[in-house]
Amino acid sequence: LESSCHCIFGTEKLYTFMRLYCALFSLLSKVKDHLGEKWLHVPFYTKNKGRTSAKTYYNKMISSLKDYLNEEIDFKNYEIFCREMSKDRVYEMSALPRLIEKCADAIVKVSKENLVLTLFDYARLNNKNPVVKRNMSLNLTDALYRIQYKPEEGLVHFCFLPRDKSLLTSPKVVMGSSTLGNVNASMCVDETITGKNFNSGKDVDSTDNVLPTSKMEQDTSEPSSKRLKVK
């Protein structure tokens, strides 16, 4: 791997959290691009009737989102605020609270595994050979998911690799032409880290079997899970 490439082999819980986190980052970036150019001409008021001077609709949306997560307003009022800012993108802003709560639940599960710090240490080794890192990770736990990020691309790649499959590090040559091997070919673009274009890709395993792609819930009903306190 190149020195700028970051690669970690993680568990299913770590993979789930990273997928949700990428989806959250991309959705926030899309909403910011849409609302960032809209300036507030009339100041709005907080729940304690304090006058605020938010510069953009995006700042107002973030403020309302924090109020909801801190249980200072209910979901209905949060959706009303979103509808006032943008009627055509209210479905995206309404999905943010549930997505944040799912991320919070996922990261709690990752912490309870008590494996992520060790896996992260393996990922930071000076040895850039992914085979060595994978073997060390598999000796620790079922680290069946390869998560790779390259800053120059601004993309996060995901790959499912069972224990009984070998990790190919060089392309296969077929009929005089270079063809990517099963494992390398399965590395497909999933989400853009920059969030400029949210490309929902597909996960593929090392046998080229397409795995179902998780779709972000756009349910606008009030989430039933315990809210995450934001200070």
Side-chain angles (χ1 to χ4, degrees):
L1 296 177
E2 298 179 9
S3 58
S4 61
C5 186
H6 304 282
C7 178
I8 185 173
F9 293 89
T11 62
E12 183 177 359
K13 290 182 174 62
L14 179 59
Y15 160 78
T16 302
F17 167 71
M18 288 300 300
R19 285 296 300 267
L20 290 170
Y21 181 78
C22 287
L24 175 62
F25 193 95
S26 298
L27 184 57
L28 277 173
S29 188
K30 287 179 63 178
V31 172
K32 184 176 182 179
D33 288 344
H34 179 70
L35 298 178
E37 298 178 356
K38 295 185 177 182
W39 291 76
L40 285 176
H41 299 291
V42 181
F44 66 97
Y45 293 84
T46 59
K47 71 176 189 68
N48 56 0
K49 298 182 180 180
R51 197 167 184 267
T52 137
S53 57
K55 293 182 179 180
T56 65
Y57 275 121
Y58 179 74
N59 292 340
K60 179 180 178 180
M61 189 275 295
I62 293 296
S63 178
S64 301
L65 182 59
K66 289 181 178 179
D67 288 342
Y68 169 76
L69 295 173
N70 288 327
E71 301 184 359
E72 296 176 358
I73 61 174
D74 57 18
F75 185 80
K76 183 177 181 180
N77 286 328
Y78 168 76
E79 187 177 2
I80 290 174
F81 290 146
C82 295
R83 196 173 297 278
E84 290 175 351
M85 290 180 280
S86 176
K87 293 183 179 179
D88 56 335
R89 294 296 180 93
V90 64
Y91 68 93
E92 292 180 339
M93 292 181 281
S94 297
L96 287 171
R98 181 176 291 275
L99 190 53
I100 290 175
E101 290 171 358
K102 285 185 175 293
C103 281
D105 292 339
I107 199 172
V108 168
K109 293 178 180 178
V110 169
S111 64
K112 288 182 177 179
E113 270 190 328
N114 198 25
L115 296 170
V116 65
L117 293 180
T118 306
L119 293 173
F120 181 69
D121 288 339
Y122 292 162
R124 288 173 57 86
L125 291 175
N126 292 330
N127 190 334
K128 286 296 181 178
N129 189 342
V131 176
V132 174
K133 294 183 178 182
R134 177 176 181 247
N135 291 336
M136 296 177 66
S137 300
L138 288 176
N139 289 334
L140 176 68
T141 184
D142 288 332
L144 306 181
Y145 293 86
R146 178 177 178 175
I147 305 170
Q148 187 167 309
Y149 170 62
K150 191 173 182 180
E152 292 82 1
E153 297 177 349
L155 303 174
V156 176
H157 302 266
F158 298 92
C159 173
F160 174 71
L161 189 64
R163 281 181 177 270
D164 58 343
K165 300 297 180 181
S166 300
L167 177 62
L168 300 182
T169 57
S170 60
K172 287 183 177 180
V173 179
V174 181
M175 298 296 293
S177 62
S178 178
T179 304
L180 286 178
N182 291 336
V183 176
N184 291 346
S186 67
M187 296 293 294
C188 61
V189 175
D190 192 58
E191 288 97 8
T192 56
I193 267 298
T194 58
K196 297 296 183 182
N197 299 304
F198 178 62
N199 299 323
S200 180
K202 296 180 180 179
D203 293 302
V204 252
D205 61 18
S206 58
T207 57
D208 294 335
N209 294 324
V210 179
L211 300 177
T213 302
S214 58
K215 295 183 178 179
M216 181 181 60
E217 294 185 23
Q218 296 178 353
D219 184 12
T220 57
S221 59
E222 184 168 5
S224 57
S225 58
K226 186 177 180 181
R227 298 178 185 173
L228 175 66
K229 293 289 184 178
V230 178
K231 296 182 180 180

